[in-house]
Amino acid sequence: MLRVSSVCLSLLPALVLCGLDHKASQLWLQLNETFLQTGAFPSEFLWGVGTAAFPTEGSWDADGKGESVWDRFTHHPRTSESYLQWEEDLRSVQYLGVQFYSFSLSWTRLFPNGDATENPNPAGVEHYRRLIGRLRDLRVEPVVTLFHWDLPQVLQERSGGWLNRSMADAFADYAAFCFRTFGGEVRYWITMHNPFLLAILGYGTGAHAPGVTGGHAEPFIAAHNLIRAHAKAWHVYDRHFRAHQHGKVSITLGSHWVEPHPGKASPANLELCLKSMDAVIGWFAEPIYGSGDYPESLKASHRGVIPEFTPQQKLSVKGTADFFSLAFGPETLRVGQGLAQFGQKVTLDLRSVLVWVRLMYGDPQVLVAESGWFSGASVGVEDTKAIYLMKTFIIKVMQAVSVDGVRVFGYTAWSLVDGFEWNHGHSRRMGLFYIDFSQPERHRIPKTSAHFYRRVVRDNGFPADSARHIEGRFPCDFQFGVSESILQVHLYPFSPQFTDPHLYRWNYSGDGDLKPVTGVELHNQVQCSDFLYIQRHLFLLGVTGSSHYRFALDWTQLMPSADPSSVDAEKVRFYRCVLSELTRRGIQPVVTLYYPSLRSHSLGMPEPLHANGGWRNRSAVEAFVNYATFCYQEFGGFVQTWITINEPNRVMELYVGTAEDRRMIARHLLLAHAKAWRVYDTRFRRQQGAAVSFALHADWVEPANPYVELHKAAQQDFLLFELGRFLDPVFEGRGNALIGFTDDEREELKGALDFIALNHFTTHLVSPLHNPNPPTPQNQDHSFSLMSDPNWQVSQRGQALVPWGLRRVLGWVKDRYGDGLPIIITASGVDDQASHNDQLRQRYIRDYLQEALKARELDGVNLRGFYIWKLQDHHHEHQFGLFTSAARHSRPRASVGLYRDIIARHGFPSAADLRPFSCQVTDTRTACELCTHIAENKPLLFFSVCVSVSVSMLSALIIISVVRKRRMRRRAVNVGPQRLAVPQRFPMMRVAHRTGRLYY
C-alpha cells in the first residue's frame, strides 16, 4: 500500500475540539493535496457488490410473501426477479470475483404481517438459507441488511410505522429472529440502510414510501425511533449472539460532502458547512458514534421539534456499532444539496467524508456499504460515464486509505443488477449487469462497468502500467531544448551611442561638457552584440542549460508582400544576429519557417496571401517555397535543423469551411513542405548539411471505454486522422485516402522528411460519436468525441498531466513507421500559475522526461530530443514559461533549476553517480561557421586587411632603409683619406654624426 502523506496534523486536534465545541467557524477540514492515481489496497481489503430486496426481488406476493409499503406505494412494479433468479445473480457475483455480497432481507417475505413473534414464512426462510449457504460454498461473504426501507404495510397501517415508538421493539424481535436463524453463517450485519433518506423522504416530503407528508416534526420522530430500533437490535446481538457467532453489527449511514465555495472560506461559511454535515450524517452518527445525543447545531436549529434522549437512552444508543458503515450515493447527495446545503458547495468528495468520519468519530473501521451512480434508462451495456464515476469513488477511497490513514476495510459497488430504483422507477439504471425489463427472462448481461470493476477487484486497485522510475542517461547528442513560437523582431540596441550620428568633443571651452561638432555626422555599424533584446533573451536561455533553441521566423515581417523582392533587410539582420549569437554561445538553433497563429489576423502568413484565400489557394504553396528558399540562403549557414510548418494538422482548424476545403488546405500544406524539402535537398544540403521536417501536434488518445471494440477502433482512427494523414504520404509505399494526391504529387512527397517532429502535451479519451448523423462543427472533419478522465491531474487551463501518454504515442509512431528516422519532441509543456515554485511544471518535466527515457531504453524508440515549451511568459499568455515576465523583469521559476540539473546529468543517473555528465562532441560545422563569420564581418575584415598590408609595407621600408645605411657605413670605414667633393661630404658627416664619429 502506498503511503504518500497525511492530513495536516496540526489541524486535527483543533478540528475535533472545534467540532465538539461548536466553534468550527475557525477551521475546516484541510487535506494534503495528492495526485495518487495508482496503487494497491491492503491485501486484506474486501471487495463487494450490493443489492436491496425491493428493487430486485420481485415476486411481491409469491410463496406467502406479504405486502410492503413500497409494494403499495409503487403498485407492484416489474423488477429483476432476483427471488426466482437468485442463482443467476450469484453467477454474476462470481464473474466479478468479489469477496462479499451485500443484500437485504425482505421483512414481509419472512413475516408477512411484520410480527416476528409469530411463525415465519417457511418459503422465505428457505430462500435466504439457500442464498446464504450457496454464498458460503462460493467462498463469498454474505453481508446482510435487516431492513432496507421495505416496512410491512400492516405495521404502517396499524401503528403509523416509524412514527410509533413501539416500532423499536417490533424491529428488535425481527432482528433477534434473523440473528438466530441465519447468524451462524453471517459475520457482518447491517441493521438498517440509510435511515436519513427514510426519515426525510418517507415521513417528510412523501417522495418515498410510505409517502407521509407530515409536519416539521415527523422526520425527527421517525429518525428517533429508527435510532432506538437500531440500538435495541445491536444490544440483542451483543447480549445473546456475539459470544458464539462472533459477528459484527452496524448501521449504514448516508452522507454528502459540503465545503465553502472557492475563496469564500469565511468563519460564517465554515460554520454552515459543519451545520450541513450535522444535518445529514451527524444526525445519526453523533448519537451512535459520538456523544449519544444529537449534534448541538441540529438541536439548536430544531429546538422543541427534535425529540430528546433521556440519560439512559443516551447510554443505550452510544457505541452501538462495531464498525462504521457508509453510504455515498446520488440520492443522499441530492437531498443533502436540497435541504442542507446552506448556500455552500456540495461535492462528490468521498475522500473528505471518510476523513471526516475518522476525525469526528474516533477513527473507526469503515465499510463503504454503498457507492455508485446512475445511468439513464436508455443506456445499455456501454456505460462509459459510470466507469469513470466508479473509478473516481474508488480512487478517493484509495487516497483516504493510503494518504490519510482512514481504516477502510471494504468497498461495495452499487448495485449488482438493474432494478426498480425506488421513486425513480425504471428511469434510472444503477446495476453492473444490464436487464431488459421487456423480456420475461430477465437475463443478466454484464455492462462495461462490470468488466471494469472485475479488473479492479482482480488487481486489488490500480497497479502502475510500468516502472514508476528508471535510472539512466540520454546520449551525448540528445537535444535538450526550449521551444518558442514566433520570435518577434526587436530593433533596439543597448545605448543611444549606436543611433546618435553626432561627433562630440569634450571640455573644449573648459566647462567639462560634451558638445557636438557641427557639420559632422557619423555612420555607425551596429553589431549583433549591441542588441539589448537578443542579449537578454539568450541570457535566459543560457540559464536553462539548453543545448538547442527552437523558434519561428516571422514570415509577415521578413516578406510582408510575399515577394522575395520585398524583403525587409533590417528584419533579416535581426534574425541573422540572433542566429550568430546563438552559435557564439554554443546553442544550436532550430528554426521554424511558418508558425500559424490566431493572434495574427492573417494566420501568420503575409497579408496578400491570406487575402487571396490563404492555404486554400495553390499560390500559397509557391510563395512558401520562395520564402523557404530565401531563408535557406540567408540563414542556412547557422541552422542545422529546419521545421517547415508547425502543426499542419491544426492549421486546418483555423479555417472555416467545408470538409473539402480543409482537405485542400491539408494537401497544399503537405505539398508546400515537400517542395521546400526538395529545394533544400537539391540546392543546399551538400553545403549546409541540415535536417528538414514539419512538426505535428501529437497528443495521445486512449479508448474512453476499453471494453468496447468501437472505442478501440476510434482510437486508431483518430491517430490515423491526426498523425497518419500527414506522415503516411511522406513514407515510402504509404498513401492516405483522407487527402487526395496525384501520382506526381505522391512521388514528390515520398521521403520528404529527415526526422519526425512531434509536439506532445497531454492525453485524451476518445469515443465515437453515437449519433450517426451528428451536427459536427464546421471546422471538424472527424466523428470522434474527446473527453478527459476526471481522476487525472489537470492544470488551471484544464490540461491533463498523463506522462505515460508520451511513451505510448512514441511507441505508436515507431510501430507504424519503424525506427529509420529519428524522433524529436519539439514542444512539450504545461501551464502553471505559480510565480516561483511551479510544482506542477516541475512534476511535468520530471515525469515526461522519465517517459521519454523509458521510450528510448525500454522500447527502443529512436528519440533524439526533447524541447520544453516555453522560455518566458508574456502578459497575454497562459504562463507556460520557465521564466516569469512581470513589469519587464524576468525571474526564473523553480522548474528552471530542475531542467538545468537534468540536462547537466543528461537524464536520471543512479544515486551513486550524480556527477555532471561530460560529453566530448565534435563540431563538424566549425569551418562553415568560420566562413559565415567572415561573411558577416566583411567591412571590418577589409579594414583589418588594409591596416595589416600598410603596416607590413611600412615595416619593409624601414628594414630596407636600415640595411642600406649599414652597408654604406661599412664602405666608409674601408676607404682611405682622399679629397672629396663638397656634395659628397655632407652625407658622410650625417652618418658620422649619428654614430658619434666624424670622418674626414
Side-chain angles (χ1 to χ4, degrees):
M1 182 176 68
L2 300 174
R3 292 281 180 181
V4 181
S5 59
S6 61
V7 180
C8 300
L9 295 179
S10 62
L11 292 180
L12 301 192
L15 176 62
V16 175
L17 289 175
C18 289
L20 295 176
D21 294 339
H22 198 57
K23 296 180 180 178
S25 60
Q26 304 301 316
L27 292 171
W28 192 243
L29 185 60
Q30 295 186 13
L31 301 180
N32 280 354
E33 188 175 42
T34 179
F35 305 109
L36 180 65
Q37 301 290 315
T38 59
F41 283 82
S43 58
E44 66 276 9
F45 193 83
L46 301 176
W47 297 96
V49 65
T51 58
F54 168 74
T56 60
E57 280 191 354
S59 303
W60 74 272
D61 60 350
D63 296 335
K65 179 186 178 295
E67 186 181 33
S68 74
V69 291
W70 273 99
D71 292 326
R72 177 72 61 87
F73 190 73
T74 56
H75 310 292
H76 321 118
R78 293 168 298 162
T79 67
S80 317
E81 297 298 339
S82 290
Y83 177 70
L84 300 176
Q85 301 196 44
W86 62 273
E87 291 179 292
E88 192 168 352
D89 282 348
L90 295 193
R91 283 192 288 272
S92 300
V93 170
Q94 278 186 286
Y95 175 82
L96 296 174
V98 294
Q99 289 87 42
F100 70 86
Y101 177 44
S102 176
F103 62 94
S104 70
L105 305 176
S106 171
W107 193 341
T108 56
R109 195 172 296 283
L110 293 171
F111 296 97
N113 62 1
D115 188 352
T117 62
E118 297 181 357
N119 292 328
N121 176 23
V125 173
E126 182 59 25
H127 168 72
Y128 291 121
R129 276 183 173 158
R130 285 198 308 265
L131 177 59
I132 293 171
R134 182 60 178 149
L135 285 170
R136 280 296 182 187
D137 292 341
L138 297 173
R139 300 181 182 275
V140 176
E141 191 75 41
V143 177
V144 181
T145 299
L146 297 174
F147 172 65
H148 196 135
W149 307 345
D150 50 348
L151 182 71
Q153 180 65 27
V154 173
L155 295 182
Q156 179 65 34
E157 293 175 352
R158 286 179 184 174
S159 60
W162 290 107
L163 296 179
N164 194 309
R165 287 178 54 84
S166 65
M167 278 301 304
D169 294 325
F171 183 76
D173 293 337
Y174 165 62
F177 170 83
C178 295
F179 296 149
R180 182 169 54 253
T181 305
F182 311 116
E185 302 292 332
V186 177
R187 288 198 305 156
Y188 296 99
W189 290 98
I190 304 296
T191 56
M192 54 188 64
H193 187 93
N194 205 345
F196 167 78
L197 289 180
L198 176 56
I200 291 293
L201 302 181
Y203 293 89
T205 67
H208 275 197
V212 175
T213 53
H216 187 50
E218 274 74 6
F220 294 102
I221 295 171
H224 195 73
N225 291 328
L226 285 163
I227 293 171
R228 289 176 54 248
H230 155 76
K232 282 181 176 288
W234 185 89
H235 283 293
V236 166
Y237 189 86
D238 191 56
R239 291 169 186 162
H240 304 291
F241 300 98
R242 187 185 302 277
H244 60 277
Q245 292 184 0
H246 308 292
K248 295 183 178 181
V249 181
S250 186
I251 178 174
T252 296
L253 303 182
S255 185
H256 65 330
W257 179 248
V258 63
E259 59 193 29
H261 289 283
K264 296 184 178 180
S266 65
N269 286 338
L270 297 176
E271 181 76 15
L272 291 173
C273 288
L274 176 66
K275 184 178 179 181
S276 179
M277 295 300 291
D278 283 346
V280 182
I281 189 172
W283 186 359
F284 297 86
E286 184 61 25
I288 297 169
Y289 297 94
S291 63
D293 198 0
Y294 296 116
E296 292 296 329
S297 65
L298 193 67
K299 293 195 294 184
S301 299
H302 303 90
R303 200 171 303 279
V305 176
I306 190 168
E308 294 184 6
F309 288 113
T310 66
Q312 184 178 359
Q313 288 174 334
K314 291 179 183 179
L315 293 174
S316 177
V317 168
K318 183 178 179 180
T320 55
D322 301 321
F323 57 91
F324 200 107
S325 183
L326 175 69
F328 193 76
E331 198 67 5
T332 305
L333 269 70
R334 183 185 69 81
V335 175
Q337 187 171 20
L339 300 180
Q341 184 176 5
F342 301 119
Q344 306 309 302
K345 181 182 179 183
V346 174
T347 72
L348 297 178
D349 193 351
L350 177 54
R351 176 191 174 195
S352 291
V353 178
L354 291 169
V355 176
W356 174 271
V357 168
R358 179 171 79 86
L359 297 179
M360 298 298 290
Y361 305 118
D363 191 19
Q365 284 192 309
V366 181
L367 171 67
V368 178
E370 177 192 344
S371 177
W373 208 254
F374 62 88
S375 300
S378 62
V379 175
V381 296
E382 182 188 329
D383 55 344
T384 302
K385 291 183 179 179
I387 288 177
Y388 289 98
L389 284 166
M390 178 185 289
K391 182 180 178 182
T392 298
F393 292 141
I394 296 175
I395 285 179
K396 292 295 184 182
V397 175
M398 181 174 68
Q399 291 172 348
V401 172
S402 299
V403 179
D404 308 312
V406 182
R407 297 195 299 149
V408 182
F409 69 89
Y411 178 88
T412 312
W414 199 271
S415 69
L416 177 66
V417 294
D418 288 336
F420 187 85
E421 292 301 327
W422 309 102
N423 55 314
H424 299 286
H426 293 299
S427 66
R428 286 185 176 182
R429 292 181 176 272
M430 293 196 67
L432 296 176
F433 287 78
Y434 174 83
I435 291 180
D436 185 348
F437 294 106
S438 67
Q439 299 298 319
E441 294 84 4
R442 306 286 201 274
H443 290 310
R444 278 77 169 135
I445 304 172
K447 300 181 185 178
T448 54
S449 56
H451 301 309
F452 169 78
Y453 189 53
R454 182 190 190 198
R455 180 175 178 181
V456 172
V457 173
R458 182 198 67 192
D459 296 338
N460 197 30
F462 304 98
D465 293 335
S466 59
R468 296 184 65 83
H469 182 89
I470 67 169
E471 296 174 345
R473 298 184 190 266
F474 293 95
C476 281
D477 61 351
F478 192 81
Q479 302 176 17
F480 288 101
V482 174
S483 187
E484 286 278 353
S485 56
I486 295 174
L487 186 64
Q488 299 296 332
V489 175
H490 296 268
L491 298 175
Y492 299 101
F494 270 116
S495 166
Q497 74 184 60
F498 301 109
T499 55
D500 189 348
H502 297 98
L503 176 68
Y504 294 84
R505 58 185 174 186
W506 174 72
N507 204 26
Y508 177 72
S509 57
D511 56 3
D513 290 341
L514 282 173
K515 294 188 177 179
V517 178
T518 58
V520 179
E521 288 190 359
L522 302 177
H523 299 282
N524 296 320
Q525 178 68 42
V526 179
Q527 300 300 315
C528 290
S529 59
D530 299 331
F531 283 100
L532 176 64
Y533 174 81
I534 294 176
Q535 299 305 314
R536 287 181 175 175
H537 193 74
L538 299 191
F539 172 78
L540 300 183
L541 182 64
V543 171
T544 68
S546 299
S547 61
H548 289 69
Y549 179 49
R550 180 193 171 200
F551 67 92
L553 305 174
D554 192 338
W555 188 4
T556 64
Q557 292 204 35
L558 282 172
M559 215 173 275
S561 65
D563 186 345
S565 63
S566 67
V567 171
D568 189 320
E570 287 296 316
K571 310 300 172 47
V572 172
R573 175 158 178 76
F574 174 83
Y575 284 125
R576 288 181 66 85
C577 284
V578 171
L579 293 167
S580 65
E581 284 296 296
L582 282 169
T583 303
R584 186 176 66 83
R585 294 167 185 258
I587 300 173
Q588 299 287 349
V590 178
V591 178
T592 303
L593 294 174
Y594 173 55
Y595 193 98
S597 173
L598 280 172
R599 291 178 187 152
S600 166
H601 71 278
S602 62
L603 304 183
M605 63 194 318
E607 178 59 36
L609 286 180
H610 181 68
N612 197 34
W615 289 105
R616 293 188 182 94
N617 198 311
R618 178 70 182 234
S619 63
V621 176
E622 301 306 322
F624 178 78
V625 173
N626 293 335
Y627 164 62
T629 304
F630 169 79
C631 292
Y632 298 152
Q633 291 171 335
E634 288 294 325
F635 311 124
F638 298 99
V639 182
Q640 285 293 283
T641 308
W642 292 96
I643 302 294
T644 55
I645 301 170
N646 186 67
E647 298 188 354
N649 52 345
R650 288 290 176 269
V651 174
M652 297 177 297
E653 297 176 2
L654 305 179
Y655 288 83
V656 176
T658 65
E660 182 59 36
D661 287 340
R662 284 184 292 281
R663 279 193 288 272
M664 183 63 69
I665 291 167
R667 181 165 173 264
H668 289 161
L669 287 165
L670 274 171
L671 289 175
H673 159 77
K675 290 179 180 294
W677 187 91
R678 297 288 175 193
V679 168
Y680 191 88
D681 191 55
T682 56
R683 295 178 53 184
F684 300 97
R685 190 182 300 277
R686 181 182 296 272
Q687 177 186 1
Q688 297 176 2
V692 183
S693 183
F694 54 77
L696 292 175
H697 190 95
D699 288 341
W700 179 244
V701 291
E702 283 287 307
N705 194 326
Y707 308 100
V708 178
E709 290 301 322
L710 286 176
H711 286 235
K712 296 178 183 178
Q715 177 195 33
Q716 293 304 313
D717 291 345
F718 184 87
L719 291 170
L720 289 174
F721 181 83
E722 280 285 279
L723 303 179
R725 180 172 44 156
F726 290 88
L727 289 175
D728 282 3
V730 297
F731 276 83
E732 192 72 31
R734 291 188 182 274
N736 194 293
L738 296 173
I739 306 172
F741 294 105
T742 66
D743 291 342
D744 290 341
E745 290 171 343
R746 278 194 289 272
E747 192 62 32
E748 188 170 30
L749 284 164
K750 285 181 182 178
L753 207 66
D754 299 320
F755 62 96
I756 299 174
L758 305 175
N759 299 340
H760 175 84
F761 292 87
T762 189
T763 294
H764 306 279
L765 301 174
V766 65
S767 62
L769 290 175
H770 291 287
N771 188 345
N773 298 301
T776 55
Q778 285 190 322
N779 63 338
Q780 180 175 310
D781 301 324
H782 58 73
S783 57
F784 314 115
S785 175
L786 296 180
M787 59 180 285
S788 181
D789 187 329
N791 299 287
W792 288 341
Q793 183 185 6
V794 297
S795 68
Q796 185 165 331
R797 292 183 66 234
Q799 178 182 329
L801 270 70
V802 191
W804 47 261
L806 171 62
R807 182 180 175 187
R808 293 187 184 182
V809 75
L810 290 171
W812 186 88
V813 172
K814 175 181 179 290
D815 291 343
R816 185 168 180 83
Y817 302 108
D819 53 7
L821 292 182
I823 303 174
I824 299 175
I825 300 300
T826 45
S828 185
V830 68
D831 63 294
D832 192 326
Q833 308 302 313
S835 60
H836 173 69
N837 189 19
D838 51 346
Q839 295 184 15
L840 186 72
R841 183 179 292 106
Q842 291 180 67
R843 179 174 181 238
Y844 184 99
I845 293 173
R846 182 169 48 248
D847 291 353
Y848 275 67
L849 275 169
Q850 260 287 310
E851 295 300 316
L853 185 63
K854 292 175 188 176
R856 274 190 58 88
E857 299 301 315
L858 304 181
D859 306 332
V861 176
N862 187 14
L863 182 65
R864 298 289 185 86
F866 186 94
Y867 290 69
I868 291 295
W869 176 269
K870 52 183 295 197
L871 182 64
Q872 186 176 17
D873 288 335
H874 297 292
H875 299 295
H876 56 283
E877 292 179 339
H878 296 288
Q879 299 192 344
F880 276 83
L882 295 170
F883 290 82
T884 63
S885 179
R888 300 185 181 276
H889 293 289
S890 299
R891 293 181 176 85
R893 292 187 168 101
S895 53
V896 173
L898 171 70
Y899 191 41
R900 183 176 60 243
D901 289 345
I902 293 174
I903 293 173
R905 299 187 176 102
H906 260 251
F908 305 91
S910 65
D913 185 19
L914 294 179
R915 69 187 186 280
F917 193 49
S918 177
C919 286
Q920 298 281 337
V921 181
T922 302
D923 191 352
T924 60
R925 301 191 303 138
T926 302
C928 183
E929 290 176 3
L930 178 61
C931 295
T932 304
H933 188 72
I934 292 173
E936 179 72 19
N937 297 278
K938 285 181 181 178
L940 180 61
L941 181 62
F942 177 75
F943 177 74
S944 300
V945 170
C946 291
V947 170
S948 299
V949 170
S950 300
V951 170
S952 299
M953 292 179 64
L954 180 60
S955 300
L957 289 173
I958 292 173
I959 292 170
I960 292 171
S961 176
V962 171
V963 170
R964 290 181 61 186
K965 290 176 182 178
R966 286 180 179 175
R967 288 177 179 173
M968 293 174 67
R969 259 188 264 150
R970 293 192 192 101
R971 291 175 184 171
V973 172
N974 297 329
V975 175
Q978 62 182 4
R979 189 183 179 94
L980 298 175
V982 173
Q984 292 176 320
R985 288 156 58 184
F986 289 109
M988 294 298 296
M989 290 177 65
R990 293 189 187 100
V991 173
H993 177 71
R994 289 173 186 168
T995 59
R997 297 178 182 179
L998 292 176
Y999 295 94
Y1000 299 96

